[in-house]
């Protein structure tokens, strides 16, 4: 929340007798003032001449303490210039209050993200999901919600059937005990080579998958072994990325209840079995393709399991249920929510948080392995490049290349609005200049090094020169940006803001010497605020703020 916007909106509402909200208050270009209010809409509601109304208001609003002067511009704009010193105090008070003054929400939120299909490593397809989901978890918790982060893994079905078939029938030069994930991947790949020649193996793999669901001893034993090994492998990767879940669930944990749920709909006459025993659901809306809810052999499908999940999450009492899942599954979620509604399962509060595709310039296939590029390969390459770029661009030998490489990849995924597809650019992502993760980390570290050299902490003085004031104003926007990011489930709003803030800071850094400048204490305070805001902002993006570089 912005206290000043709120105050201006309140004063305007009183004087106009028209409802004005803080969202109606704009931030104009600096030369036009600190805040602005277009009177036109209210004037037309009141049947008055906007320019005349603005002039009347301007006189009344100059009496507000924090307002130094008001100018009327254009067809009816009120431009407010604030008393910089009073505003400075206001901003410090806001940013130093609990949670930087970010409005706190009530309610519990389930954030489901990552959710890979396992028996294989995560690949480039999981990367943007991990970055987005983790950041949203952080943003929503910082916004006051009680957040549960869930990893709903795809641990059922065909991929395990294939691995089990391969394990029993295919030789591998890898050893499960020594390198389990490499082993599984190897037989998985060989399985597909085999399947090209011989269609029957697909059948057999499906039969194994079915056996897992039916509780066959051998199938379940092998499934467990492979499942555990993959989870163990993924755990290291999540640790590396500093991603935490409150619970790991999976499709295997709900398929039985999901089947029972659909069976109960049959009994209640809500859905009908086809002649072959399967259940196909058709929508009233003919545009929407129908879905199979149960197969002829009684096994469940992806959507069936999600239906049960949705019901379960409602019963658990979550106020919001967010699915961070790629835009490719938009139809799935439309169908899911529609079947649920038709069956009387509440969908209010449930949202598909869709996001566009991440494309790598090198395509998605790894030349080394002939497989989809693994997520970890991308991070490895980024870490390597961070080292090179640091030498080239800022003349440093990095000690924390790991945090910088990982942060760079996360940042570039988060800085593009989530709905948009994005093309990853190695060069700009890893650059220490411009709109990038390394640039943010570097700016933050620079500011910290000033603070380390200072002998005491800072305090704002009464007058601000322009560069100081511009930095102060940018800092003041932080809480609003976090609120908007939470509301729109859009980390890009914070990413974008931090990038602008760092640019402002670097301008300030060049123009305004801090130590022994005669304005040391005043400027130090601004640097301190910058450090606090960027530390927190980076944390909300899941990017590590460093002490040194
Ligand atoms: N495991 C699925 C996949 O990899 C994603 C699961 C998304 N979550 C859900 N509740 N359907 O495509």
């Amino acid at each position: 929340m912005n206290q000043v916007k709120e105050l201006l909106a309140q004063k305007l509402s009183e004087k106009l007798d028209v409802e004005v909200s803080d969202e109606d208050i704009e931030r104009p270009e600096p030369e036009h003032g600190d805040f602005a209010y277009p009177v036109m809409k209210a004037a037309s509601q009141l049947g008055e001449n906007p320019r005349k109304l603005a002039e009347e208001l301007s006189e009344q609003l100059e009496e507000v303490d924090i307002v130094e002067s008001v100018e009327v511009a254009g067809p009816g704009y009120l431009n407010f210039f604030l008393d910089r010193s009073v505003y400075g105090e206001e901003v410090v008070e806001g940013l130093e209050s609990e949670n930087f003054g970010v409005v706190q929400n009530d309610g519990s939120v389930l954030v489901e993200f990552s959710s890979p299909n396992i028996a294989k490593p995560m690949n480039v397809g999981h990367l943007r999901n991990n970055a987005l989901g983790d950041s949203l978890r952080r943003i929503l918790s910082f916004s006051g919600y009680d957040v549960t982060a869930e990893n709903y893994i795809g641990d059922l079905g065909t991929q395990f059937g294939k691995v089990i078939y391969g394990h029993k029938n295919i030789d591998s030069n890898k050893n499960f005990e020594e390198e389990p994930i490499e082993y599984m991947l190897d037989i998985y790949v060989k399985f597909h080579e085999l399947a090209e020649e011989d269609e029957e193996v697909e059948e057999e793999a499906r039969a194994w998958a079915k056996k897992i669901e039916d509780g066959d001893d051998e199938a379940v034993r092998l499934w467990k072994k492979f499942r555990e090994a993959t989870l163990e492998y993924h755990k290291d990767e999540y640790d590396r990325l500093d991603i935490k879940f409150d619970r790991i669930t999976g499709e295997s944990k709900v398929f039985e209840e999901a089947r029972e749920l659909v069976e109960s709909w049959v009994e209640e006459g809500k859905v009908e079995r086809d002649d072959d025993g399967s259940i196909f659901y058709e929508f009233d809306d003919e545009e929407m393709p129908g879905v199979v809810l149960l197969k002829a052999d009684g096994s469940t499908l992806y959507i069936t399991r999600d239906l049960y999940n949705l019901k379960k999450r409602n019963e658990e009492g979550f106020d919001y249920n967010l699915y961070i899942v790629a835009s490719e599954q938009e139809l799935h979620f439309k169908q899911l929510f529609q079947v649920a509604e038709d069956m009387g399962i509440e969908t209010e509060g449930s949202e598909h948080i869709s996001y566009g595709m991440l494309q790598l310039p090198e395509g998605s296939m790894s030349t080394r392995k002939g497989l989809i590029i693994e997520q970890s390969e991308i991070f490895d390459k980024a870490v390597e490049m961070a080292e090179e770029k640091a030498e080239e661009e800022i003349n440093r030998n990095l000690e924390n290349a790991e945090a910088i490489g990982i942060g760079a990849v996360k940042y570039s995924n988060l800085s593009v609005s989530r709905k948009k597809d994005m093309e990853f650019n190695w060069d700009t992502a890893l650059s220490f200049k411009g709109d990038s993760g390394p640039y943010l980390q570097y700016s933050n570290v620079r500011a910290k090094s000033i603070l380390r050299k200072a002998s005491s902490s800072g305090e704002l003085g009464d007058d601000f020169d322009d560069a100081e004031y511009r930095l102060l104003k940018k800092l003041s926007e932080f809480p609003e940006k976090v609120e908007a990011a939470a509301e729109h489930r859009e980390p890009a709003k914070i990413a974008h803001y931090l990038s602008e803030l760092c640019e402002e800071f670097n301008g300030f850094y060049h123009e305004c010497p801090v130590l022994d400048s005669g304005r040391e204490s005043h400027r130090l305070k601004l640097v301190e605020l910058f450090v606090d805001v960027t530390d927190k902002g980076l944390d909300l993006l899941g990017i590590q703020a460093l002490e040194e570089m």
Side-chain angles (χ1 to χ4, degrees), residues 83-108:
D83 177 321
R84 293 181 174 190
S85 140
V86 180
Y87 189 39
E89 281 170 35
E90 193 81 34
V91 173
V92 173
E93 202 187 316
L95 291 177
E96 289 184 346
S97 63
E98 214 166 324
N99 304 303
F100 294 72
V102 170
V103 171
Q104 298 294 291
N105 297 275
D106 287 326
S108 57

Side-chain angles (χ1 to χ4, degrees), residues 338-546:
Q338 191 57 54
V339 182
E341 271 168 36
D342 294 351
M343 296 296 134
I345 300 173
E346 181 69 68
T347 58
E348 209 195 299
S350 287
E351 295 166 45
H352 172 206
I353 309 299
S354 177
Y355 61 88
M357 209 165 81
L358 159 66
Q359 265 168 314
L360 296 176
E362 56 265 59
S364 60
M365 298 308 272
S366 149
T367 41
R368 187 163 59 83
K369 293 186 181 165
L371 291 169
I372 297 187
I373 297 181
E374 287 175 28
Q375 176 177 262
S376 56
E377 294 178 67
I378 297 169
F379 285 110
D380 292 345
K381 175 164 171 186
V383 171
E384 239 170 70
M385 263 189 90
E387 261 164 9
E388 288 164 21
K389 284 268 189 187
E391 252 180 60
E392 241 171 71
E393 292 182 352
I394 55 170
N395 207 0
R396 287 189 198 220
N397 245 326
L398 288 186
E399 274 169 32
N400 24 33
E402 172 81 3
I404 295 169
I406 289 174
V409 177
K410 286 188 180 179
Y411 181 83
S412 73
N413 273 276
L414 295 174
S415 61
V416 176
S417 307
R418 68 174 157 82
K419 293 249 169 86
K420 288 193 200 149
D421 289 339
M422 58 164 292
E423 240 171 273
F424 189 78
N425 181 319
W426 287 99
D427 207 50
T428 49
L430 271 305
S431 174
F432 286 79
K433 300 167 183 163
D435 183 17
S436 73
Y439 172 69
L440 303 192
Q441 285 168 315
Y442 185 44
S443 308
N444 170 272
V445 160
R446 267 181 149 176
K448 283 175 181 159
S449 83
I450 301 177
L451 298 186
R452 263 197 307 275
K453 287 183 208 129
S455 47
S456 62
S457 58
E459 199 178 326
L460 285 189
D462 282 341
D463 78 305
F464 283 82
D465 63 30
D466 287 343
E468 295 163 353
Y469 193 57
R470 277 199 307 272
L471 179 56
L472 176 86
K473 278 171 63 173
K474 233 335 146 217
L475 286 163
S476 76
E477 291 176 33
F478 180 56
E480 288 159 73
K481 299 294 177 181
V482 177
E483 288 158 17
E487 183 184 334
H488 300 279
R489 286 81 165 100
E490 183 63 279
K493 294 196 187 289
I494 296 177
H496 193 85
Y497 164 74
L498 288 178
S499 165
E500 283 178 1
L501 174 65
C502 288
E503 212 171 299
E504 204 60 76
F505 173 76
N506 287 314
F508 164 88
Y509 183 90
H510 283 295
E511 260 177 65
C512 306
V514 176
L515 304 174
D516 306 320
S517 61
R519 304 176 66 79
E520 173 164 331
S521 179
H522 178 69
R523 287 181 178 168
L524 266 178
K525 185 70 196 178
L526 290 169
V527 179
E528 286 167 21
L529 292 172
F530 173 77
V531 167
D532 292 343
V533 168
T534 45
D535 272 353
K536 189 69 218 174
L538 284 167
D539 176 60
L540 293 177
L541 299 181
I543 299 174
Q544 203 182 326
L546 305 164

Side-chain angles (χ1 to χ4, degrees), residues 189-341:
V189 172
K190 289 188 174 138
F191 172 89
H192 282 281
E193 286 164 8
L194 205 61
E196 300 241 307
E197 293 154 23
D198 181 358
E199 281 168 24
E200 291 228 324
V201 296
E202 289 277 5
E203 252 334 290
E204 291 200 38
R206 261 195 290 278
W208 276 108
K210 175 84 173 57
K211 278 189 186 174
I212 303 173
E213 282 200 41
D214 291 342
D216 173 89
D217 278 350
E218 184 181 18
V220 170
R221 182 176 55 79
L222 289 171
W223 168 77
K224 273 198 178 140
K225 178 165 133 166
F226 295 139
R227 182 180 182 278
E228 284 311 308
T230 328
L231 288 182
E232 200 51 46
Y233 180 85
H234 285 180
K235 191 179 167 298
D236 292 342
E237 200 148 325
Y238 291 128
D239 283 348
R240 181 182 189 198
L241 301 183
D242 193 21
I243 291 179
K244 293 184 184 68
F245 296 100
D246 299 295
R247 64 191 201 189
I248 296 182
T249 58
E251 297 185 38
S252 70
K253 299 222 163 66
V254 292
F255 73 87
E256 274 159 348
E257 291 90 339
R259 181 189 316 144
E260 285 160 20
L261 180 64
V262 178
E263 302 279 1
S264 76
W265 295 338
V266 179
E267 271 163 42
E268 292 163 30
K270 289 177 170 170
V271 296
E272 259 175 52
R273 241 182 246 286
D274 282 334
D275 293 338
D276 66 354
S278 67
I279 296 173
F280 183 70
Y281 188 79
E282 272 169 293
F283 297 94
D284 289 342
D285 173 2
E286 281 164 22
E287 304 274 285
M288 182 108 82
V291 289
V292 178
L293 295 180
L294 275 188
K295 288 194 223 164
D297 64 8
S299 54
T300 58
L301 288 102
Y302 180 53
I303 191 166
T304 328
R305 303 190 277 271
D306 261 335
L307 281 161
Y308 173 75
N309 261 324
L310 180 54
K311 180 169 170 282
K312 178 172 141 248
R313 290 176 190 173
N314 288 342
E315 285 163 5
E316 286 178 303
F318 290 108
D319 298 303
Y320 298 94
N321 168 28
L322 310 186
Y323 299 88
I324 320 299
V325 182
S327 56
E328 291 156 4
Q329 295 197 28
E330 251 155 39
L331 177 61
H332 167 76
F333 282 98
K334 284 206 182 100
Q335 291 169 321
L336 170 66
F337 294 152
Q338 191 57 54
V339 182
E341 271 168 36

Side-chain angles (χ1 to χ4, degrees), residues 11-67:
K11 295 283 178 204
L12 283 161
S13 304
E14 278 168 23
K15 309 274 178 209
L16 280 169
D17 210 14
V18 165
E19 175 80 22
V20 178
S21 95
D22 57 345
E23 283 165 31
D24 300 321
I25 311 289
E26 302 171 357
R27 291 182 193 273
E29 291 298 319
E31 62 272 24
H32 296 143
D34 299 317
F35 292 101
Y37 174 68
V39 180
M40 291 77 88
K41 205 173 98 202
S44 93
Q45 275 175 31
L46 296 164
E48 293 205 36
N49 173 311
R51 180 82 200 187
K52 206 168 137 255
L53 185 60
E55 266 154 20
E56 280 168 32
L57 284 169
S58 77
E59 280 167 32
Q60 298 175 0
L61 284 152
E62 274 183 354
E63 286 158 22
V64 178
D65 258 359
I66 197 167
V67 177

